[in-house]
Amino acid sequence: MSKDFLRFMRDRVSRNQLSEPAPSKEEWFDILDAASRAADHGSLKPWRFKVFSGSGREQVGQVYWQHAKSEVPELTDDKAETFIKKAFRAPAILLVYADIVHHPKVPEFEQLMAASAAAQQALLGLDALGYGGIWRTGPAVFTDTAKDLFDLNENQQVVVLIYAGTPTQTPNRVADTGLEERLSFVDL
């Protein structure tokens, strides 16, 4: 195995300046098929994906707007566009969510971690095809209102929104990961 892949992983950065084009449906399929090889205790495949593009991003925008209104009830409807347009910062948004099942050996948190691993794989897949992405999640997407607007059922939980598209700026390579401060070896 070549160190090129490790270098590719090491050099991946989040891209917040994204424009058209986003991946095609065929490219999304390839990206998410590869992402579906994420670590998965019990082979449950708990990850689920929804891609919002075009006017479909309005659905994500409504999540932001409904959350804002719940936090600040005095917001008037003329402020809606301010929150809805947040969903149009990129040409596509990937919703990754977990479909949690009861399992005697695989607790809920491991199923969420597997879906998170699939999300990271999707970010790598975007980069591999020349696109970029950024993990954009906040309190708005972890509400019952968001679950309703995303049409998720009771046993499904949002993991992340990944904004995706074509990067418009050259990335700044992160010079130091700071790994030395967070790594220890235990030799017996």
Side-chain angles (χ1 to χ4, degrees):
M1 172 74 55
S2 160
K3 286 199 171 194
D4 290 344
F5 184 69
L6 292 177
R7 189 171 20 262
F8 170 76
M9 290 174 58
R10 168 63 184 76
D11 288 346
R12 194 212 74 78
V13 295
S14 293
R15 309 297 285 275
N16 63 354
Q17 303 291 316
L18 300 164
S19 66
E20 296 284 352
S24 66
K25 287 182 180 180
E26 293 79 17
E27 289 171 318
W28 274 119
F29 186 87
D30 290 344
I31 291 165
L32 299 176
D33 189 42
S36 295
R37 293 296 302 141
D40 178 21
H41 181 197
S43 298
L44 299 178
K45 296 177 180 49
W47 47 80
R48 301 291 184 271
F49 309 108
K50 284 188 183 186
V51 178
F52 299 88
S53 60
S55 61
R57 293 171 291 173
E58 175 87 20
Q59 193 174 352
V60 178
Q62 283 297 326
V63 169
Y64 294 132
W65 170 232
Q66 297 303 321
H67 180 71
K69 286 197 321 187
S70 74
E71 293 289 304
V72 184
E74 55 275 2
L75 277 175
T76 56
D77 287 344
D78 64 321
K79 303 290 186 199
E81 189 59 30
T82 302
F83 294 91
I84 293 170
K85 73 180 180 182
K86 290 181 177 187
F88 291 81
R89 295 180 283 194
I93 301 172
L94 171 64
L95 166 65
V96 181
Y97 60 103
D99 189 55
I100 307 296
V101 298
H102 176 73
H103 192 280
K105 294 183 178 179
V106 186
E108 178 179 326
F109 77 91
E110 281 194 52
Q111 295 175 54
L112 288 168
M113 289 189 304
S116 294
Q120 176 61 28
Q121 297 267 88
L123 284 165
L124 289 170
L126 285 165
D127 276 31
L129 294 184
Y131 297 104
I134 186 168
W135 186 292
R136 286 204 186 269
T137 309
V141 302
F142 299 113
T143 64
D144 289 336
T145 300
K147 284 180 75 165
D148 289 344
L149 290 168
F150 288 141
D151 197 28
L152 304 185
N153 63 40
E154 198 172 290
N155 67 307
Q156 295 173 327
Q157 184 171 332
V158 171
V159 173
V160 65
L161 293 176
I162 295 174
Y163 281 55
T166 299
T168 60
Q169 296 178 327
T170 303
N172 292 326
R173 184 175 187 275
V174 178
D176 180 17
T177 63
L179 179 61
E180 284 109 15
E181 300 168 12
R182 296 186 305 277
L183 172 66
S184 60
F185 291 97
V186 179
D187 294 323
L188 301 176

